[in-house]
Amino acid sequence: MSVTRLGYMHARVTDLAEAKRHYCDTLGLRITLEEPGKLYLKAWDEFDHHSVVLEEGGVGMVKMGYKVETDEDLSTYENAAREFGCVTERMTKGENPEVGDGVRIVLPSGHLLELYSQMTCIGTDVGIHNPEVFPRHLVGVGVPRVDHCLLTTSDVQTTERFFIEALGFYPTERLQTTLEDDAHLIGTWLSTSNTVHDIAFIEGPDNKLHHWAFELGDWSAIGRAGSIFAMDDVSVDVGPTQHGITRGGTIYFFDPAGNRNEVFSGGYVAYRDRPAVTWTVDDLAKGIFYVQREVNERFTSVLT
Ligand SMILES: [Fe+2]
């Protein structure tokens, strides 16, 4: 039993046509369903129907979906969330197009999480029979898949405890004031798989999105993404650079509505018995941006 991964990020955008140019022409996602005021999109190496939902009107995150293995997991996590003190409700098949029954949980951070076990599988762009290693006609950056998100919470400690105790995640890296036992927890990077993080939280206002990320294969893909961003006049926040925390290669950038996205590559392979790395706030800048060792004001203040 486990939560497997970030399945979808559902965000608001101010203008759907602009968003379409960004997510489809620049990043290379493909539209799998259009509804009035809404787009459903997937990346080329994802099997399920969609991994990004864009809704016209405003900016910021509406909700996120994490996929679990079985229907039975839904009741298990529903009970665990209730015992933790979270508000939950059942969602039924079709409430989200192509998504099965699920459980909706209001996190201690105020964000809305949907757990589900079924989404219509439409397959990757290369299939599963003698597949090519990538599709020949990738568009723009050609991101293969959605990877993780970073959200803010006024209580990192409780939010982390919820993900560990109720959902079975484990921390790979933590940011705290000091190394003392009574140190204040400022950030946590949590995995539910072998990726270095499937979700992360840093201290800030509740129910806000810092960014969500798309995976890229390696450093050279990050560099190439930077070139595409220049060609398409994408607003770049930071990068290309590397994180100390997670060791990933990165570029942070904004969609036309102002939601921050990331392309992320590498990081180490995580596993449950790997002791969590501890960062102290005196070396925060190196943890976030390992090469420059400085964090711009925008990076910590712009949330949606
Ligand atoms: Fe990230």
Side-chain angles (χ1 to χ4, degrees):
M1 181 193 87
S2 75
V3 179
T4 60
R5 65 175 178 277
L6 172 60
Y8 53 86
M9 175 57 69
H10 183 149
R12 292 186 196 283
V13 293
T14 43
D15 184 300
L16 218 46
E18 276 184 353
K20 195 169 169 176
R21 278 196 292 278
H22 176 80
Y23 288 96
C24 296
D25 300 347
T26 300
L27 291 178
L29 301 184
R30 179 159 69 84
I31 295 169
T32 53
L33 177 67
E34 288 195 63
E35 287 182 341
K38 269 190 198 168
L39 290 177
Y40 296 77
L41 309 104
K42 78 184 278 295
W44 72 261
D45 207 19
E46 292 170 332
F47 287 90
D48 286 353
H49 181 266
H50 58 266
S51 60
V52 173
V53 183
L54 302 173
E55 181 172 336
E56 193 160 53
V59 64
M61 173 181 155
V62 176
K63 60 191 181 182
M64 60 187 165
Y66 276 73
K67 196 173 188 186
V68 303
E69 283 187 59
T70 66
D71 279 348
E72 293 73 56
D73 293 343
L74 295 173
S75 332
T76 307
Y77 291 124
E78 179 182 36
N79 291 336
R82 278 197 196 151
E83 272 172 35
F84 198 92
C86 294
V87 173
T88 70
E89 69 172 17
R90 281 278 169 165
M91 61 183 208
T92 53
K93 184 177 176 178
E95 275 185 57
N96 298 297
E98 311 296 334
V99 180
D101 292 342
V103 176
R104 211 168 265 139
I105 301 169
V106 181
L107 297 177
S109 57
H111 300 90
L112 192 58
L113 168 68
E114 292 180 338
L115 299 177
Y116 64 99
S117 62
Q118 305 281 332
M119 189 192 286
T120 305
C121 177
I122 59 177
T124 72
D125 287 14
V126 294
I128 52 169
H129 179 216
N130 304 339
E132 304 298 348
V133 295
F134 60 84
R136 176 167 295 222
H137 301 292
L138 284 177
V139 176
V141 178
V143 294
R145 65 176 182 86
V146 161
D147 189 74
H148 66 268
C149 60
L150 172 62
L151 312 176
T152 57
T153 171
S154 60
D155 186 348
V156 178
Q157 190 93 42
T158 303
T159 304
E160 182 194 67
R161 197 162 61 76
F162 173 80
F163 272 83
I164 294 171
E165 291 178 9
L167 299 184
F169 284 56
Y170 63 99
T172 53
E173 310 224 3
R174 305 171 91 226
L175 169 67
Q176 52 194 56
T177 46
T178 67
L179 281 178
E180 305 303 314
D181 287 345
D182 61 350
H184 180 68
L185 189 65
I186 302 165
T188 181
W189 286 256
L190 295 147
S191 179
T192 182
S193 61
N194 287 114
T195 67
V196 70
H197 58 337
D198 292 295
I199 196 165
F201 288 90
I202 51 169
E203 194 168 64
D206 281 333
N207 201 16
K208 288 286 183 185
L209 170 71
H210 185 276
H211 71 268
W212 86 92
F214 299 93
E215 187 228 0
L216 284 178
D218 56 28
W219 259 109
S220 65
I222 296 281
R224 182 177 173 278
S227 302
I228 304 256
F229 295 160
M231 291 175 203
D232 288 358
D233 208 19
V234 170
S235 171
V236 171
D237 188 11
V238 186
T241 186
Q242 183 172 17
H243 295 301
I245 298 168
T246 74
R247 301 182 193 152
T250 180
I251 304 175
Y252 288 107
F253 54 100
F254 295 101
D255 75 7
N259 296 301
R260 190 185 284 98
N261 301 150
E262 180 187 23
V263 282
F264 177 89
S265 76
Y268 50 84
V269 175
Y271 32 90
R272 287 185 178 274
D273 60 339
R274 188 183 198 280
V277 167
T278 303
W279 289 84
T280 47
V281 74
D282 54 306
D283 232 359
L284 170 65
K286 192 173 177 181
I288 308 264
F289 297 121
Y290 189 69
V291 182
Q292 291 83 356
R293 283 153 282 132
E294 91 188 1
V295 180
N296 73 48
E297 194 271 333
R298 185 179 54 230
F299 185 77
T300 49
S301 62
V302 175
L303 306 167
T304 59

Short mmCIF file of all heavy atoms in Angstrom, two decimals, residues 148 197 211 252 262, ligand 1:
data_model
loop_
_atom_site.label_atom_id
_atom_site.label_comp_id
_atom_site.label_asym_id
_atom_site.label_seq_id
_atom_site.Cartn_x
_atom_site.Cartn_y
_atom_site.Cartn_z
N HIS A 148 7.01 16.94 -9.12
CA HIS A 148 6.72 17.25 -7.71
C HIS A 148 6.17 18.66 -7.59
O HIS A 148 6.14 19.41 -8.58
CB HIS A 148 8.01 17.15 -6.87
CG HIS A 148 9.03 18.20 -7.22
ND1 HIS A 148 10.03 18.00 -8.14
CD2 HIS A 148 9.20 19.48 -6.78
CE1 HIS A 148 10.76 19.10 -8.26
NE2 HIS A 148 10.29 20.01 -7.44
N HIS A 197 12.15 13.75 -4.09
CA HIS A 197 10.98 14.31 -3.41
C HIS A 197 9.76 14.21 -4.33
O HIS A 197 9.86 14.38 -5.54
CB HIS A 197 11.19 15.75 -2.93
CG HIS A 197 11.57 16.75 -3.99
ND1 HIS A 197 12.15 16.42 -5.18
CD2 HIS A 197 11.42 18.10 -4.03
CE1 HIS A 197 12.37 17.52 -5.88
NE2 HIS A 197 11.93 18.54 -5.21
N HIS A 211 5.77 26.36 -6.44
CA HIS A 211 5.95 25.92 -7.82
C HIS A 211 5.56 24.47 -7.97
O HIS A 211 5.43 23.74 -6.99
CB HIS A 211 7.41 26.09 -8.26
CG HIS A 211 8.38 25.13 -7.60
ND1 HIS A 211 9.04 25.41 -6.44
CD2 HIS A 211 8.78 23.88 -7.95
CE1 HIS A 211 9.82 24.38 -6.11
NE2 HIS A 211 9.66 23.44 -7.00
N TYR A 252 13.84 27.77 -12.60
CA TYR A 252 12.51 28.23 -12.18
C TYR A 252 12.06 29.30 -13.16
O TYR A 252 12.84 30.17 -13.55
CB TYR A 252 12.57 28.85 -10.78
CG TYR A 252 12.77 27.84 -9.68
CD1 TYR A 252 13.99 27.74 -9.02
CD2 TYR A 252 11.73 27.00 -9.29
CE1 TYR A 252 14.19 26.82 -8.01
CE2 TYR A 252 11.93 26.08 -8.29
CZ TYR A 252 13.14 25.99 -7.64
OH TYR A 252 13.32 25.07 -6.64
N GLU A 262 8.93 24.73 -12.64
CA GLU A 262 10.34 24.36 -12.59
C GLU A 262 10.58 23.23 -13.59
O GLU A 262 9.71 22.39 -13.78
CB GLU A 262 10.71 23.87 -11.17
CG GLU A 262 12.17 23.45 -11.01
CD GLU A 262 12.48 22.81 -9.65
OE1 GLU A 262 11.56 22.29 -8.98
OE2 GLU A 262 13.67 22.82 -9.27
FE FE B 1 11.11 21.88 -7.05
#
